[in-house]
Amino acid sequence: SSSSSSSSPAYSLDNPDQRIAEDIRSFCTVSLAFSITVLTSAIDLVSFSAILWSIYPKLFVAIVAYASAGTAITAYIGKRLAALNFEQLQREADFRYA
């Protein structure tokens, strides 16, 4: 009985400073990768937008309008889904508690 409680993660913290360091390293790695992805995507967007604008400005305007409409619809649907997900999690927690 005592051996099972001593091996439980709640009772034995093995090198908490090392775990914190690993979490920070993981966070920094993911943040750096995300930042690089955002930067390269922004550069690609500007470059290809300039090229498309120079070739056919009407198509560029149509593409921007289409992308804006799609983003607005997705944001509207996503806002409703987030509220539904919150309600579902709340009801599941109430069910487990009862």
Side-chain angles (χ1 to χ4, degrees), residues 30-77:
V30 170
S31 297
L32 179 64
F34 179 72
S35 299
I36 291 172
T37 301
V38 168
L39 180 63
T40 57
S41 297
I43 292 169
D44 288 345
L45 178 67
V46 170
S47 300
F48 288 119
S49 295
I51 293 169
L52 183 59
W53 179 264
S54 69
I55 295 172
Y56 197 55
K58 289 182 181 180
L59 181 60
F60 175 78
V61 171
I63 289 172
V64 169
Y66 180 76
S68 299
T71 301
I73 291 169
T74 302
Y76 175 73
I77 292 171

